[in-house]
Amino acid sequence: MRRPFVVLFLVLILVTSSIPARASMDAAAVFSAKPPTVGAKGAALMDVNSGRLLFGKNEEERLPMASTTKIMTAILAIESGKLDELVTVSSKAVQVEPSSIWLEAGEQISLLHLVYGLMLRSGNDAACAIAEHLAGSVSAFAEKMNEKAKELGMANTNFKNPHGLPDPDHYTTALDLAKLSAYALRNRQFTAIVSTTRFSILNRQTNTPRVWYNKNRMLEIYPGADGVKTGWTRAAGHCLVASANRGGQRLVAVVLNSPDDWGETTALLDYGFANFKPIPIIYPGQYIGTVPVEGGHPTAVGAIAAEVFVWPVGRGEQLQMCFLVQLPGPIEAPLKKGEILGHLQISQQGTTLAHIPLVADQAVPQYLLPGIWRNFLQLLLRGRCQ
């Protein structure tokens, strides 16, 4: 049996990232130690892997989001596991304007192809067809969108439709949209779709090709760009979610109601890549503690980290992180190598950043003799040694 957890507090002070004064970077990235001036009503810059917010302007202000709404529609479609299913397009879906991929009532098209049309060409008809197929109606699908938003901690977001056409109760924030985008970009299928510049399929009804070019110009003008979504309505203004990946560091920039969506997301991404470096704090296999074992040999095992923990550190920034090690008292054999023993909780200023599983570094077989005979044998051997 496992006994109550032994809890140990550790504090680590991490001093400055080692980014040089003028870091080696792509020619498009201009060094600037200061955040750029942003004219958008709301803006956010986030490190995708860690979820750390690197920059914000009115990032928690509720604003209309236009077609960036479709990020949620796409990830729900992908996570449904039904991308191979054929969707029969309804007459309601084809009537939604103005942005369209020119679907026809009654035609059949795969859910996967609808997601491509949704994200590359911002098809409102595709959004409605997806919603009706997965939930039966637009309103029912909006409920699913709000459930997912709550799950992701999008506290200031409410969806009323899958496309983003104006509705007073349809809103988000730059921070919430960054959270959603970071989550979606960790899905390989999502990233593959939104990073596609050109996609063609065959229209099943007319046997003619459909060719879609991505509206997201960042894929062409920004080195390393790999997503995500454009948006515009008169009420929302120009909105853009732009992501880029350089050397395994992926950032996502959000601007809502921006006077220069391409320029401002470029400036935010440049600032992030120039000033923040991902630093490994915990490595897989790193020794964290020891757990005693009863009824087996060896009589103790090492508790090692099962995952990596990487955190983006700003130029000249000093971090103070708290590490809470949770490991049990003596446990009974047998024990498998890799078996979870406890967790390492990493936090900063009262906010939990990660829970890292701690696992056994080796197996511990159980003694073959029953306990009473094992004790007798130990007493006998002790007597012979005296």
Side-chain angles (χ1 to χ4, degrees):
M1 293 179 61
R2 298 196 175 184
R3 298 180 185 178
F5 279 101
V6 175
V7 178
L8 174 65
F9 240 120
L10 296 176
V11 177
L12 171 70
I13 300 178
L14 181 67
V15 182
T16 78
S17 106
S18 59
I19 306 176
R22 285 192 176 267
S24 174
M25 63 190 78
D26 194 280
V30 179
F31 168 73
S32 174
K34 295 182 179 180
T37 300
V38 176
K41 283 190 176 180
L45 175 69
M46 182 173 285
D47 177 79
V48 169
N49 293 328
S50 67
R52 182 184 181 185
L53 182 68
L54 307 181
F55 171 87
K57 176 193 173 183
N58 300 329
E59 67 272 19
E60 296 188 75
E61 181 179 344
R62 294 178 176 181
L63 296 166
M65 59 187 122
S67 285
T68 60
T69 296
K70 291 164 183 164
I71 297 170
M72 178 63 87
T73 304
I75 195 62
L76 287 179
I78 291 167
E79 291 183 345
S80 73
K82 299 177 179 180
L83 291 178
D84 292 334
E85 290 186 0
L86 284 179
V87 177
T88 301
V89 180
S90 74
S91 57
K92 278 187 179 181
V94 300
Q95 293 171 8
V96 183
E97 296 180 350
S99 182
S100 171
I101 57 172
W102 308 110
L103 296 173
E104 298 178 7
E107 79 164 280
Q108 290 191 317
I109 182 172
S110 75
L111 183 60
L112 175 62
H113 290 165
L114 282 175
V115 176
Y116 271 98
L118 176 83
M119 299 306 285
L120 272 64
R121 298 305 302 167
S122 202
N124 291 335
D125 49 357
C128 286
I130 290 170
E132 291 173 348
H133 182 74
L134 292 178
S137 68
V138 164
S139 59
F141 188 76
E143 291 180 11
K144 290 182 177 292
M145 298 172 79
N146 287 321
E147 288 172 6
K148 189 68 176 182
K150 185 176 181 180
E151 176 189 321
L152 296 178
M154 298 169 65
N156 290 295
T157 296
N158 190 66
F159 293 103
K160 295 295 287 185
N161 60 60
H163 39 65
L165 290 177
D167 186 298
D169 292 324
H170 188 92
Y171 54 81
T172 190
T173 67
L175 177 59
D176 281 359
L177 204 50
K179 289 179 181 179
L180 170 62
S181 302
Y183 170 81
L185 285 164
R186 296 179 198 126
N187 183 295
R188 291 184 179 181
Q189 181 110 52
F190 179 89
T191 301
I193 292 171
V194 298
S195 62
T196 300
T197 56
R198 179 185 183 276
F199 188 76
S200 63
I201 62 170
L202 195 65
N203 187 320
R204 291 170 177 267
Q205 279 63 43
T206 63
N207 204 35
T208 57
R210 276 187 171 127
V211 181
W212 296 323
Y213 292 90
N214 202 319
K215 289 185 176 183
N216 184 4
R217 287 174 49 208
M218 292 294 285
L219 297 176
E220 298 177 359
I221 66 175
Y222 193 84
D226 59 1
V228 176
K229 188 70 189 73
T230 60
W232 180 87
T233 63
R234 188 171 284 104
H238 287 282
C239 303
L240 180 61
V241 179
S243 64
N245 189 342
R246 292 184 182 171
Q249 181 182 14
R250 176 176 280 142
L251 304 179
V252 60
V254 179
V255 291
L256 297 175
N257 202 331
S258 168
D260 179 14
D261 48 352
W262 310 112
E264 292 192 333
T265 51
T266 293
L268 286 171
L269 291 170
D270 281 350
Y271 166 74
F273 284 121
N275 289 280
F276 291 88
K277 180 179 179 180
I279 304 295
I281 307 297
I282 299 293
Y283 296 85
Q286 182 174 341
Y287 170 81
I288 303 297
T290 300
V291 177
V293 180
E294 295 180 344
H297 185 80
T299 57
V301 293
I304 59 175
E307 301 171 359
V308 67
F309 173 69
V310 178
W311 191 250
V313 182
R315 183 188 306 276
E317 181 182 17
Q318 292 185 347
L319 294 181
Q320 194 170 40
M321 290 184 175
C322 291
F323 290 69
L324 185 63
V325 181
Q326 297 177 306
L327 288 172
I331 58 176
E332 293 285 342
L335 186 68
K336 296 179 181 178
K337 181 178 181 179
E339 184 174 335
I340 294 179
L341 300 174
H343 291 85
L344 172 65
Q345 178 181 307
I346 306 174
S347 60
Q348 185 179 31
Q349 297 178 344
T351 300
T352 299
L353 306 178
H355 281 93
I356 307 296
L358 302 178
V359 300
D361 65 351
Q362 61 182 309
V364 180
Q366 189 177 30
Y367 283 127
L368 296 179
L369 293 174
I372 188 170
W373 293 107
R374 183 177 71 244
N375 294 337
F376 174 76
L377 181 58
Q378 289 174 344
L379 289 172
L380 180 63
L381 290 174
R382 188 181 305 164
R384 287 183 178 180
C385 291
Q386 292 176 350

